[in-house]
C-alpha cells in the first residue's frame, strides 16, 4: 500500500489539473492565433495582413465589405454621394459614436484622419489617397472629398485602412507614435501588448453597439507553425487560428471547423519583359525569346492547365482564374472570366513559329514556401509537354522580392492579396511599377479610361479590353484566385472570414 | 589573479566588439531591404524613400555602424521597425522567461542526467544500465520540435493536464507558472540531460575503478557512502564544467522550444522578428545573445580559477 500511495496522489493531482483545462464554455476571452507578428497598430504605417485582421476588432472604417463583396457603411451613415462627374464624394458620418478615449466621432475627426494619412511622411496610405485634392467639413456630420481626377476605387479604399478614423485627441497627443496607444471607434480597444508577439484587446463599453458584443477580451498571439497552431486549437488553448490553405486542406478529419472562402487576390506568373535596371527605372527590353517575343509567352500560357493546378497544388480550395478580377466581382464579365483551355500542341506550334529551340529553358523563381514549391512542381510536367524545360530556383521570400525589384529574374511566382476594385488589382499586375517592367500605351490609356466612370457595366467593358491586350502580350499569367482560410474550434461561433481574407471575431462567442 | 581577471575581461570586450561587427554585417547581408518590407504590398517609391531615411539606411555603412555602436553603448536599442515598441522593453520582458526556462531545464537535466549517469555506471552491463544508455541516446537524438509536439498531443490533448501554450508570470501564480513551463523545460532539458548522463557515467566508471574507492570498500564503508560521497563527489568537477558550458546551448535551443510552446521569450522574439524582417530587433537580440555567451564563458573562466588553483598560478606567472 505504501508503494502505491504516491502514485494515487499523483493521479489525483493530475486529475485536479485536468479539470482546469477541460472546457472553455462560457469564457469571454477569445484566443486567436496569427501566423505572423502584426506590425504597428497605426493604420497610417501598417502593412501586414495580420495587422488588418486585428484592426477589424479595434479600428472601424468609414466603409466595410460584407460577405457578398458589397461596400456597406460602417462609420459612415450611408454610401457616398458621388457628384461633379465623379470628382466629389460627400460622406455623411454616423452620429452618436465615440472613440475609445471618449472623444465624439464627427466630420472633423474624419477630415483629420484622412489629412493625416495623406500628409504624414512615410505614410503607407499616401499612395492610396494620391488622387485626393482636398477634404472639407461641410457640416458637423458631413465631409466632402474632392478628387484631382475621377477615382471609382475610392469607396473600396475607404473600406480598408485609409478609411479608419483615428481619435483626433489621441492623434494630437501622440502624432506618429499613435500606434503605441491607439484609439478608434470599435467594439474593442487595446488593453496591452505584453510582448512583441501578443496583443490583448478589451471590450469598449462606449462602443455604439456594445450590447451586441459578447466577448470581454480578445488575445491575439503569434503561432507561426501550423502544426503547433492546430495542436493548440485541439487542446482548447486557442479558439481561432489563421492557417494556410495547404494545411487547411489536410485537417478535415480533426475536431475543428475550417472556414474557407475564395479571396480577392490571385497567384500569377510574372515574366520579365522590360525590367532591366530595376522596377522604378525606365523600362527596357529583355533580349531573350521569352522576354521579347509575345508568341513564346502565349505558348507558356497555353501550356498551363489551371484546373489541374488548382486541384493538385491548391488542394481544390483556390479557383482557376485568368484575370486579376475576382470571379465573384460584378466586373467579372463572361468575356473576362473566359479562360483558354490548356493546349500543348498549339503551344508547341507557337514556339516553333517564334523560332525558339525546344526544349526552351525557363527559370522560375519561387520562394521556399510549400505552396510555391507545389505550384512549381506541378507546372514542370505541364510545360514539358508543350516544349519548355522549366527549372525551379527556390529562394528566401525577401530575396525573391528583391530580385523581382532588381529585374534579376526570367519568370517568378507572385501573390497579391487583392482588392475589391479592379483598378488596384490591375495596377499591381501591369501598373507603372510592375516588377516585370511591362509598359504598354494601350493598357495605360484603357486603365485611365476605366477610372473616368463609376458605371460598373462600362468599366467591365473597358477591363475586358485590358484583358484582351494582356492575353495578346502576356506580361503576366494569372493562375488562380486565392482562397482565404482560417480554423476555429467547434465550440466557437460567430467567427467569419470574408473574401478580403480578414478574420472577423468581434461578434464571436464561446459555447463549448 | 587580478591581472588574469583583467586580461579575461579585456578579451571578452574585444570578442563583444567583434561580435557587434559580425551582427551588424550579418543583418545587412540578409537578402532584401527593410524599407521594401515595411512599405507593404504596394511598394510606393516615396514611402520606401521615407522609411529608408527614417532608419538611416540612406547613410553610408560606416556611419550606420557608428550610429548603431553609439546606441548600443548607451543602452538604447531603438524601436522595433515593425511594431514601433521599444526594443529594450521587448528584450526586458522576454529575457526573464528564457532565463527561467534555461534554469528549470538545467535543474531537470542535472537531476535526470546525473541520476541516470550514476545508474548506468553502477549497474553497467545490466538491463537498468542499458536502459539508462538508451535514454541518453534518445535524449541526444530526439529533435526538440518533434518531442514538444508529442508532449502537447499527450499532455494537453489526449490527457489534458497541462496547457499546450502560453506563459503565466511567476508573480501571478507559482502553480500556473510551473504548469506553463514544465513541458518546455523538459523538452529543452533532454539534450543537456543526455550529455550530463554520458559525462557522469564515464567519470563515475573511472572513479569506481580508482584506488581510493577500493580503499573505501576495504574500510567497510556502505555502498551508498562510496557511490555518493566518494565517487560522485570527484566526478562532479567535470560534470559541473560541462553543465556551465551547455548554458549557451540552452539559449539557442530555446529558440525552437519557445516557438512550439508559444512562450514569449528571447527565442520567440528572435524568430518572429526574423519572419517579420524586423532587422533592428534581430540586430539587438543577436547582440544580447552574443553578450550572454561571452558572459557565461567569462563566468566559467572565473569558476575554473576558483576550482583549480593551477589556472590561477599559471595566470599569475604569465
Amino acid at each position: 500500500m505504501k508503494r502505491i500511495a504516491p502514485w494515487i496522489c499523483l493521479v489525483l493531482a493530475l486529475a485536479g489539473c485536468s479539470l482546469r483545462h477541460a472546457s472553455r464554455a462560457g469564457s469571454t476571452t477569445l484566443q486567436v492565433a496569427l501566423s505572423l507578428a502584426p506590425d504597428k497598430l497605426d493604420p497610417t504605417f501598417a502593412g501586414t495582413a495580420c495587422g488588418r485582421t486585428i484592426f477589424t476588432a479595434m479600428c472601424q472604417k468609414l466603409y466595410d465589405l460584407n460577405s457578398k463583396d458589397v461596400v456597406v457603411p460602417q462609420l459612415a451613415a450611408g454610401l457616398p454621394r458621388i457628384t461633379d462627374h465623379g470628382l466629389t464624394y460627400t460622406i455623411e458620418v454616423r452620429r452618436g459614436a465615440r472613440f475609445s478615449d471618449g472623444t465624439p466621432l464627427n466630420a472633423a475627426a474624419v477630415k483629420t484622419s484622412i489629412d493625416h494619412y495623406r500628409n504624414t511622411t512615410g505614410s503607407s496610405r499616401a499612395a492610396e489617397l494620391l488622387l485626393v485634392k482636398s477634404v472639407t467639413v461641410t457640416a458637423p456630420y458631413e465631409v466632402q472629398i474632392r478628387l484631382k481626377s475621377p477615382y471609382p476605387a475610392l469607396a473600396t479604399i475607404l473600406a480598408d485602412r485609409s478609411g479608419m478614423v483615428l481619435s483626433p485627441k489621441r492623434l494630437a497627443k501622440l502624432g506618429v507614435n499613435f500606434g503605441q496607444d491607439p484609439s478608434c471607434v470599435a467594439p474593442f480597444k487595446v488593453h496591452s501588448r505584453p510582448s512583441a508577439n501578443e496583443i490583448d484587446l478589451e471590450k469598449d463599453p462606449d462602443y455604439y453597439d456594445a450590447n451586441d458584443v459578447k466577448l470581454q477580451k480578445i488575445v491575439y498571439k503569434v503561432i507561426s507553425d501550423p502544426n503547433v497552431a492546430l495542436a493548440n486549437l485541439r487542446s482548447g488553448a486557442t479558439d481561432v487560428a489563421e492557417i494556410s490553405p495547404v494545411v487547411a486542406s489536410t485537417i478535415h478529419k480533426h475536431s475543428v471547423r475550417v472556414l474557407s472562402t475564395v479571396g480577392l487576390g490571385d497567384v500569377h506568373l510574372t515574366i520579365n519583359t522590360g525590367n532591366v535596371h530595376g522596377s522604378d527605372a525606365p523600362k527596357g527590353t529583355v533580349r531573350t525569346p521569352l522576354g521579347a517575343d509575345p508568341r513564346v509567352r502565349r505558348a507558356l500560357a497555353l501550356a498551363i492547365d489551371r484546373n489541374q493546378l488548382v486541384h493538385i497544388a491548391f488542394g481544390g480550395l483556390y479557383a482557376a482564374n485568368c484575370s486579376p478580377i475576382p470571379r465573384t466581382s460584378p466586373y467579372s464579365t463572361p468575356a473576362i472570366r473566359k479562360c483558354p483551355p490548356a493546349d500543348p500542341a498549339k503551344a508547341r506550334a507557337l514556339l516553333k513559329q517564334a523560332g525558339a529551340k525546344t526544349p526552351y529553358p525557363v527559370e522560375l523563381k519561387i520562394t521556399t514556401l510549400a505552396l510555391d514549391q507545389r505550384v512549381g512542381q506541378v507546372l514542370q510536367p505541364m510545360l514539358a509537354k508543350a516544349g519548355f524545360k522549366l527549372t525551379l530556383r527556390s529562394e528566401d521570400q525577401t530575396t525573391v522580392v528583391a530580385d523581382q525589384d532588381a529585374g534579376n529574374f526570367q519568370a517568378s511566382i507572385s501573390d497579391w492579396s487583392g482588392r475589391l476594385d479592379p483598378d488596384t488589382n490591375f495596377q499591381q499586375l501591369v501598373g507603372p511599377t510592375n516588377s516585370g517592367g511591362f509598359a504598354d500605351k494601350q493598357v495605360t490609356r484603357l486603365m485611365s479610361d476605366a477610372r473616368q466612370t463609376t458605371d460598373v457595366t462600362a468599366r467591365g467593358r473597358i477591363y475586358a479590353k485590358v484583358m484582351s491586350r494582356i492575353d495578346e502580350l502576356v506580361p503576366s499569367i494569372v493562375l488562380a484566385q486565392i482562397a482565404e482560410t482560417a480554423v476555429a474550434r467547434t465550440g466557437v461561433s460567430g467567427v467569419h472570414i470574408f473574401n478580403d481574407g480578414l478574420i472577423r471575431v468581434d461578434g464571436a462567442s464561446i459555447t463549448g | 589573479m587580478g591581472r588574469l581577471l583583467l586580461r579575461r575581461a579585456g578579451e571578452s570586450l574585444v570578442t563583444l566588439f567583434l561580435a557587434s561587427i559580425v551582427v551588424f554585417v550579418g543583418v545587412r547581408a540578409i537578402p532584401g531591404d527593410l524599407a521594401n518590407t515595411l512599405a507593404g504590398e504596394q511598394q510606393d517609391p516615396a514611402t520606401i524613400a521615407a522609411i529608408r531615411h527614417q532608419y538611416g539606411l540612406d547613410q553610408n555603412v560606416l556611419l550606420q555602424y557608428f550610429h548603431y555602436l553609439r546606441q548600443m553603448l548607451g543602452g538604447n536599442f531603438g524601436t522595433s521597425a515593425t511594431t514601433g515598441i521599444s526594443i529594450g522593453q521587448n528584450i526586458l520582458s522576454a529575457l526573464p522567461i528564457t532565463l527561467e526556462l534555461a534554469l528549470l531545464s538545467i535543474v531537470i537535466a542535472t537531476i535526470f542526467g546525473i541520476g541516470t549517469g550514476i545508474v548506468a555506471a553502477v549497474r553497467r552491463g545490466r538491463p537498468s544500465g542499458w536502459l539508462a544508455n538508451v535514454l541518453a541516446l534518445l535524449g541526444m537524438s530526439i529533435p526538440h520540435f518533434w518531442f514538444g509536439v508529442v508532449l502537447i498531443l499527450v499532455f494537453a490533448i489526449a490527457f489534458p493536464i497541462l496547457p499546450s501554450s502560453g506563459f503565466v508570470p511567476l508573480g501571478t501564480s507559482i502553480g500556473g507558472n510551473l504548469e506553463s513551463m514544465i513541458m518546455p523545460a523538459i523538452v529543452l532539458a533532454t539534450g543537456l540531460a543526455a550529455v550530463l548522463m554520458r559525462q557522469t557515467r564515464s567519470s563515475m566508471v573511472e572513479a569506481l575503478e580508482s584506488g581510493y574507492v577500493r580503499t573505501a570498500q576495504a574500510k567497510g564503508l556502505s555502498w551508498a557512502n562510496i557511490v555518493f560521497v566518494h565517487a560522485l563527489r570527484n566526478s562532479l568537477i567535470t560534470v559541473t564544467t560541462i553543465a556551465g558550458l551547455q548554458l549557451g546551448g540552452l539559449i539557442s535551443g530555446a529558440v525552437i522550444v519557445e516557438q512550439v510552446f508559444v512562450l514569449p521569450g528571447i527565442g520567440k522574439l528572435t524568430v518572429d522578428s526574423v519572419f517579420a524582417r524586423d532587422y533592428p530587433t534581430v540586430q539587438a537580440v543577436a547582440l544580447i545573445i552574443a553578450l550572454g555567451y561571452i558572459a557565461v564563458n567569462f563566468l566559467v573562466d572565473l569558476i575554473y580559477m576558483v576550482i583549480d588553483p593551477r589556472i590561477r598560478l599559471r595566470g599569475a606567472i604569465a
Side-chain angles (χ1 to χ4, degrees):
Chain A
M1 184 62 198
K2 267 184 187 173
R3 278 173 175 240
I4 60 165
W7 292 106
I8 292 171
C9 290
L10 181 67
V11 169
L12 288 175
L14 294 181
C17 290
S18 72
L19 287 177
R20 222 146 24 111
H21 298 287
S23 169
R24 294 204 57 231
S27 169
T28 53
T29 300
L30 189 81
Q31 303 276 347
V32 183
L34 301 172
S35 58
L36 282 173
D39 50 354
K40 289 177 186 166
L41 294 180
D42 180 351
T44 320
F45 304 107
T48 60
C50 295
R52 287 174 75 202
T53 292
I54 297 174
F55 283 134
T56 60
M58 58 154 279
C59 214
Q60 289 196 333
K61 308 160 278 189
L62 286 169
Y63 297 99
D64 196 10
L65 298 189
N66 68 11
S67 59
K68 290 172 184 149
D69 285 351
V70 176
V71 173
V72 290
Q74 194 171 52
L75 290 182
L79 289 174
R81 286 196 310 278
I82 305 167
T83 52
D84 197 14
H85 304 288
L87 287 173
T88 305
Y89 281 60
T90 306
I91 298 169
E92 202 182 324
V93 180
R94 179 188 277 271
R95 288 159 198 258
R98 284 184 178 277
F99 294 95
S100 62
D101 64 356
T103 312
L105 169 76
N106 53 28
V110 174
K111 175 182 162 53
T112 305
S113 290
I114 298 178
D115 283 345
H116 175 73
Y117 293 143
R118 291 169 60 214
N119 303 324
T120 303
T121 309
S123 164
S124 300
R125 307 283 78 83
E128 295 165 0
L129 298 167
L130 207 60
L131 291 178
V132 173
K133 191 175 167 190
S134 65
V135 184
T136 317
V137 174
T138 45
Y141 288 94
E142 190 183 88
V143 72
Q144 211 170 62
I145 300 174
R146 294 188 67 78
L147 301 175
K148 293 171 191 163
S149 61
Y151 188 33
L154 186 66
T156 57
I157 292 292
L158 296 177
D160 199 344
R161 287 156 293 192
S162 290
M164 289 177 187
V165 189
L166 315 177
S167 160
K169 191 175 153 192
R170 194 64 59 86
L171 203 53
K173 187 180 162 197
L174 297 175
V176 291
N177 296 319
F178 179 85
Q180 290 178 4
D181 189 12
S183 175
C184 295
V185 179
F188 295 88
K189 58 182 178 179
V190 175
H191 172 262
S192 60
R193 200 164 185 173
S195 69
N197 34 49
E198 183 180 321
I199 293 167
D200 297 354
L201 305 185
E202 63 180 349
K203 184 176 174 177
D204 181 2
D206 288 338
Y207 176 57
Y208 57 87
D209 265 344
N211 291 339
D212 291 341
V213 181
K214 297 172 190 94
L215 297 171
Q216 289 298 322
K217 206 173 167 188
I218 304 175
V219 175
Y220 291 96
K221 54 190 173 186
V222 183
I223 305 184
S224 314
D225 188 88
N227 295 311
V228 175
L230 276 176
N232 276 279
L233 268 174
R234 293 175 64 198
S235 74
T238 299
D239 299 301
V240 182
E242 197 182 47
I243 223 147
S244 81
V246 174
V247 179
S249 65
T250 65
I251 56 173
H252 297 298
K253 61 187 171 195
H254 298 310
S255 58
V256 291
R257 199 158 42 98
V258 177
L259 309 166
S260 173
T261 178
V262 175
L264 301 174
D266 62 70
V267 181
H268 57 265
L269 288 186
T270 304
I271 300 165
N272 191 355
T273 55
N275 182 356
V276 282
H277 302 295
S279 54
D280 296 342
K283 315 296 178 209
T285 305
V286 174
R287 301 197 184 283
T288 61
L290 183 72
D293 193 335
R295 288 172 299 184
V296 177
R297 299 196 293 270
R298 276 205 296 278
L300 192 71
L302 279 169
I304 298 169
D305 183 340
R306 288 179 176 79
N307 291 323
Q308 208 178 8
L309 186 72
V310 164
H311 182 67
I312 303 170
F314 302 124
L317 289 170
Y318 283 29
N321 202 8
C322 304
S323 86
I325 300 180
R327 294 176 81 85
T328 46
S329 164
Y331 300 97
S332 178
T333 59
I336 287 175
R337 276 201 298 273
K338 195 177 153 199
C339 270
D343 191 342
K346 196 171 171 187
R348 273 187 179 276
L350 271 172
L351 273 182
K352 196 175 170 188
Q353 204 182 9
K357 196 179 162 192
T358 55
Y360 181 76
V362 176
E363 185 189 78
L364 181 67
K365 281 213 170 157
I366 53 174
T367 69
T368 47
L369 295 173
L371 197 62
D372 275 13
Q373 303 282 329
R374 275 201 203 192
V375 173
Q377 285 160 9
V378 175
L379 284 177
Q380 273 178 322
M382 280 182 192
L383 297 193
K385 273 191 212 167
F388 289 94
K389 184 173 187 278
L390 185 71
T391 48
L392 305 177
R393 187 171 174 137
S394 301
E395 286 176 346
D396 161 74
Q397 195 165 13
T398 313
T399 313
V400 172
V401 174
D403 282 350
Q404 284 176 338
D405 279 345
N408 182 23
F409 72 104
Q410 204 180 2
S412 72
I413 294 179
S414 308
D415 296 323
W416 165 240
S417 64
R419 299 291 182 270
L420 190 60
D421 194 275
D423 183 71
T424 324
N425 295 347
F426 273 110
Q427 287 291 343
Q428 181 68 20
L429 199 71
V430 290
T433 55
N434 73 85
S435 56
F438 171 74
D440 179 64
K441 281 180 186 164
Q442 198 178 329
V443 169
T444 308
R445 185 179 49 76
L446 285 166
M447 297 265 290
S448 170
D449 289 349
R451 274 186 231 116
Q452 305 305 313
T453 174
T454 51
D455 183 79
V456 174
T457 317
R459 289 183 79 200
R461 273 200 298 271
I462 298 172
Y463 286 126
K465 286 182 190 167
V466 176
M467 266 321 295
S468 158
R469 185 72 177 153
I470 289 175
D471 286 342
E472 190 186 329
L473 300 176
V474 201
S476 295
I477 304 168
V478 174
L479 302 173
Q481 192 178 335
I482 61 168
E484 303 288 357
T485 45
V487 189
R489 281 198 311 112
T490 43
V492 177
S493 60
V495 178
H496 302 288
I497 183 163
F498 294 164
N499 291 355
D500 57 7
L502 307 181
I503 305 169
R504 289 163 162 85
V505 296
D506 46 307
S509 60
I510 300 168
T511 52
Chain B
M1 169 110 172
R3 266 173 59 191
L4 184 64
L5 207 65
L6 272 177
R7 205 178 70 197
R8 288 276 192 270
E11 282 169 5
S12 297
L13 280 177
V14 172
T15 313
L16 187 61
F17 173 67
L18 293 175
S20 77
I21 295 175
V22 170
V23 168
F24 179 83
V25 173
V27 167
R28 270 144 193 84
I30 297 173
D33 184 344
L34 170 69
N36 280 332
T37 309
L38 292 181
E41 280 184 317
Q42 295 195 357
Q43 300 286 301
D44 172 41
T47 308
I48 292 172
I51 296 170
R52 204 163 270 147
H53 180 69
Q54 188 188 345
Y55 287 96
L57 298 171
D58 51 356
Q59 295 175 338
N60 76 50
V61 181
L62 213 58
L63 269 177
Q64 286 183 46
Y65 176 71
F66 283 119
H67 179 66
Y68 157 73
L69 203 62
R70 203 177 56 208
Q71 273 194 315
M72 294 295 143
L73 286 174
N76 172 17
F77 296 104
T79 55
S80 154
T82 51
T83 63
I85 301 173
S86 151
I87 295 171
Q89 190 186 319
N90 279 340
I91 291 175
L92 274 181
S93 68
L95 199 57
I97 298 167
T98 304
L99 289 179
E100 188 192 339
L101 178 65
L103 199 69
L104 264 176
S105 302
I106 286 183
V107 171
I108 293 169
T110 308
I111 294 170
F112 191 78
I114 294 178
T116 47
I118 294 169
V119 172
V122 173
R123 301 181 70 85
R124 62 182 187 281
R126 294 185 202 174
S128 50
W130 294 336
L131 183 68
N133 274 326
V134 168
L135 285 177
L137 200 62
L138 277 176
M140 276 193 279
S141 325
I142 289 178
H144 284 167
F145 184 84
W146 181 85
F147 190 40
V149 173
V150 167
L151 284 190
I152 290 175
L153 290 174
V154 175
F155 295 108
I157 297 173
F159 306 100
I161 54 175
L162 290 169
S164 57
S165 66
F167 174 71
V168 178
L170 207 56
T172 310
S173 156
I174 295 174
N177 176 272
L178 281 177
E179 270 190 14
S180 63
M181 291 300 255
I182 193 74
M183 281 204 287
I186 288 172
V187 173
L188 191 55
T190 49
L192 178 59
V195 172
L196 288 181
M197 181 270 168
R198 306 277 294 180
Q199 194 58 49
T200 308
R201 183 187 178 277
S202 64
S203 303
M204 281 289 285
V205 166
E206 202 178 314
L208 288 171
E209 285 169 356
S210 63
Y212 64 85
V213 167
R214 272 198 301 277
T215 309
Q217 282 169 333
K219 279 166 71 182
L221 293 181
S222 70
W223 176 86
N225 194 314
I226 292 168
V227 171
F228 293 106
V229 178
H230 289 84
L232 181 63
R233 200 168 173 183
N234 280 295
S235 308
L236 279 184
I237 298 169
T238 330
V239 174
T240 311
T241 312
I242 298 285
L245 289 171
Q246 290 288 323
L247 190 68
L250 285 183
I251 293 171
S252 49
V255 170
I256 293 167
V257 173
E258 287 174 5
Q259 277 298 116
V260 175
F261 293 97
V262 200
L263 286 177
I266 285 286
K268 183 149 174 62
L269 181 65
T270 311
V271 174
D272 289 343
S273 306
V274 169
F275 282 150
R277 314 280 165 200
D278 186 354
Y279 297 144
T281 302
V282 175
Q283 201 164 266
V285 171
L287 196 66
I288 289 291
I289 292 174
L291 184 65
Y293 269 94
I294 292 166
V296 167
N297 277 308
F298 184 65
L299 278 175
V300 169
D301 281 351
L302 281 183
I303 293 166
Y304 271 148
M305 285 183 221
V306 174
I307 292 174
D308 193 341
R310 288 170 298 179
I311 296 173
R312 279 201 302 262
L313 288 172
R314 219 180 295 143
I317 292 161

